[in-house]
Amino acid sequence: GLGIEEDGIGKYNAETQHQSLGLRMIYDRIDLINETQPGVQASFRLENRQKLDASLSGTRATLQLPLNMEEA
């Protein structure tokens, strides 16, 4: 999988809490892959780094995609 970490204030600590269209599109595409590809498990996860370690700030994004998929 691919992981990205940033050390800003974090998605979960931001003052404005809005539904991101970009995140919605990522989750929709992950669902589409999982529905149309038998035996394939793709995933996308956002984690608050501070919950993993109190001395950290920011967010960790992890994307898991299969290497091989059947053509639709």
Side-chain angles (χ1 to χ4, degrees), residues 4-72:
I4 299 172
E5 293 183 355
E6 58 85 21
D7 62 356
I9 65 167
K11 175 186 179 340
Y12 301 98
N13 294 327
E15 288 184 25
T16 60
Q17 295 292 324
H18 72 279
Q19 181 65 30
S20 167
L21 180 58
L23 288 176
R24 182 73 263 144
M25 291 170 58
I26 290 171
Y27 286 119
D28 288 348
R29 289 175 190 259
I30 294 294
D31 289 343
L32 181 63
I33 290 169
N34 290 335
E35 290 170 5
T36 60
Q37 302 293 317
V40 167
Q41 185 60 43
S43 65
F44 179 74
R45 184 175 65 245
L46 287 176
E47 298 172 281
N48 182 347
R49 291 180 57 198
Q50 197 168 38
K51 287 190 176 184
L52 303 171
D53 181 334
S55 68
L56 299 175
S57 65
T59 304
R60 175 188 295 163
T62 305
L63 177 64
Q64 295 276 112
L65 293 173
L67 293 177
N68 296 311
M69 295 190 312
E70 299 292 323
E71 289 190 33

